Amino acid sequence: MSKLQLSIAMGDYDRTRALFDGRVQIDGVDPVFMLLSPEEMFFRAMRSRDFDITEMSFSSYLVKHSRGECPYVAIPVFLSRAFRHTSLYARKDRIRRPEDLKGKRIGLPEYQLTANVWARAILQDDHGVRPEDVTWVRGGIDQPGRPEKIKLELPPAVRVEAAPAGLTISELLDRGEIDAFMAPRPPSRHILQKNPDIAWLFDDPTAAAKDYYRRTGVFPIMHVVGIRQELATRHPWLPAAVQKAFTQSKEAALDLLSDTSATKVTLPFVEEQLKAARETLGDDFWSYGVAPARQTLETFVRHHHSQGLSPRQVAVEELFHPSTYESYSI
């Protein structure tokens, strides 16, 4: 029998490389891999449903899933995770601490981006700054005119404005027309280099993130993997097979990362950072699957709903394909 020929869009990460180069195979699948940026993947997946299997924004998935209109069903493979204290920049000449953001203007590329859901959760839970306490200014980071990829129905108290035509939120921050910036990418590099008044909102975001994890047990999830709904229905074995392969690929990456005889990433202090990550988050610090991520998942769906992005609070038990909640053991 021939294998399923499926298109698979994903990022170029160490944790996906064993799939891309063929060291790990997906049972029953002959894949065509595309290594794409998150912006391109997510736009094409949501707008034109271009891929059979795709890395997806967790927030975009939940917006669509909670409405019952998502073309993909997710599996608990978390290709991107990040503490989003680094997603917040501010005009430090006027914003000294997070609480100073009340009544101010914050630029962002899209309101519903997963990184922004997490950053707003940090501001609300730890600093009392609610989404309705600020004015949100939407625009591109490096290019003007970025739209929301999904039509949103936000609560009336949440104020979202479009950036002036022809201007980016990086430029608005530089000119002082907004007070802060929230995004998964930093402001334009040349603006950061030339303007000394723009810096991270948290002076030591790593220390803030470690404190956040110790208090909450939450390591934020950014991206999940989605499988086209009709494929998962027609081939009920497929979601578990895809999850198995992505898990094996991640394990291969971690094995290489732990081999520090010759570091596998172009970055100094890898051994020290790996030791610090294990001390803070445990040996399985980049876990896939529902059980080890339940606290993180519950936190996200709660904030996603409270921020007006999902019409109801989705239970963790309905986030993913049913076959991926349990696995065999030997």
Side-chain angles (χ1 to χ4, degrees):
M1 292 181 63
S2 61
K3 295 184 177 182
L4 290 179
Q5 291 190 319
L6 301 179
S7 60
I8 303 177
M10 61 189 188
D12 185 6
Y13 314 123
D14 63 346
R15 49 201 173 275
T16 58
R17 204 152 296 139
L19 280 165
F20 185 72
D21 66 22
R23 282 176 288 152
V24 171
Q25 300 289 316
I26 304 174
D27 295 339
V29 173
D30 182 11
V32 177
F33 289 111
M34 286 166 272
L35 302 181
L36 304 173
S37 71
E39 290 85 354
E40 180 177 356
M41 271 189 295
F42 302 165
F43 185 88
R44 291 173 62 183
M46 285 296 150
R47 289 294 183 92
S48 49
R49 307 179 183 185
D50 285 357
F51 316 112
D52 295 316
I53 299 171
T54 182
E55 184 175 347
M56 301 181 70
S57 155
F58 192 12
S59 176
S60 297
Y61 171 71
L62 190 50
V63 170
K64 289 285 194 179
H65 182 68
S66 64
R67 297 174 181 173
E69 56 187 38
C70 189
Y72 297 93
V73 59
I75 60 174
V77 166
F78 311 127
L79 290 183
S80 176
R81 303 181 79 150
F83 292 98
R84 286 308 185 180
H85 296 75
T86 54
S87 293
L88 289 154
Y89 287 77
R91 293 282 313 207
K92 301 294 276 191
D93 51 345
R94 65 184 76 156
I95 304 296
R96 305 292 183 181
R97 58 197 186 112
E99 290 79 1
D100 295 339
L101 290 172
K102 287 187 177 182
K104 299 301 192 294
R105 296 167 61 81
I106 302 178
L108 37 63
E110 294 181 51
Y111 186 84
Q112 65 86 32
L113 294 182
T114 310
N116 294 343
V117 176
W118 282 114
R120 285 191 296 266
I122 292 166
L123 291 179
Q124 180 165 346
D125 285 352
D126 290 351
H127 305 284
V129 182
R130 303 170 301 165
E132 58 267 33
D133 290 335
V134 304
T135 298
W136 305 97
V137 181
R138 191 187 69 244
I141 297 173
D142 294 315
Q143 298 174 307
R146 176 171 171 170
E148 292 275 1
K149 69 176 69 69
I150 298 175
K151 181 177 175 57
L152 302 178
E153 298 175 4
L154 298 175
V158 175
R159 300 179 300 279
V160 181
E161 301 176 358
L167 291 176
T168 66
I169 55 174
S170 297
E171 292 167 327
L172 293 177
L173 187 66
D174 182 39
R175 292 158 59 151
E177 295 179 28
I178 57 176
D179 304 284
F181 171 105
M182 176 188 289
R185 298 181 185 272
S188 297
R189 183 178 303 171
H190 74 279
I191 287 173
L192 287 176
Q193 291 172 339
K194 76 172 187 175
N195 193 328
D197 291 326
I198 299 173
W200 274 324
L201 174 64
F202 296 94
D203 293 331
D204 188 342
T206 300
K210 288 182 177 180
D211 175 68
Y212 174 80
Y213 180 79
R214 291 188 185 104
R215 289 184 289 106
T216 66
V218 169
F219 180 15
I221 291 165
M222 299 295 131
H223 303 168
V224 296
V225 170
I227 300 171
R228 197 185 290 274
Q229 289 271 12
E230 57 266 29
L231 279 172
T233 299
R234 193 180 317 134
H235 308 287
W237 52 267
L238 182 61
V242 174
Q243 180 169 341
K244 172 186 170 184
F246 271 94
T247 301
Q248 290 174 339
S249 183
K250 185 252 297 182
E251 290 171 349
L254 290 175
D255 286 343
L256 286 173
L257 187 63
S258 298
D259 177 7
T260 53
S261 60
T263 181
K264 306 304 183 291
V265 293
T266 313
L267 189 70
F269 310 117
V270 172
E271 288 182 74
E272 297 88 335
Q273 291 296 331
L274 186 57
K275 179 175 181 289
R278 286 172 172 155
E279 288 174 349
T280 302
L281 286 84
D283 288 342
D284 189 17
F285 57 83
W286 201 291
S287 57
Y288 293 169
V290 172
R294 179 170 287 276
Q295 179 69 20
T296 298
L297 295 168
E298 289 177 347
T299 301
F300 186 78
V301 297
R302 173 169 55 84
H303 276 285
H304 198 268
H305 175 60
S306 71
Q307 293 177 19
L309 290 167
S310 41
R312 61 188 180 88
Q313 185 168 318
V314 177
V316 171
E317 286 71 23
E318 57 178 301
L319 281 173
F320 304 109
H321 191 274
S323 68
T324 62
Y325 283 83
E326 294 183 328
S327 182
Y328 70 92
S329 59
I330 298 176

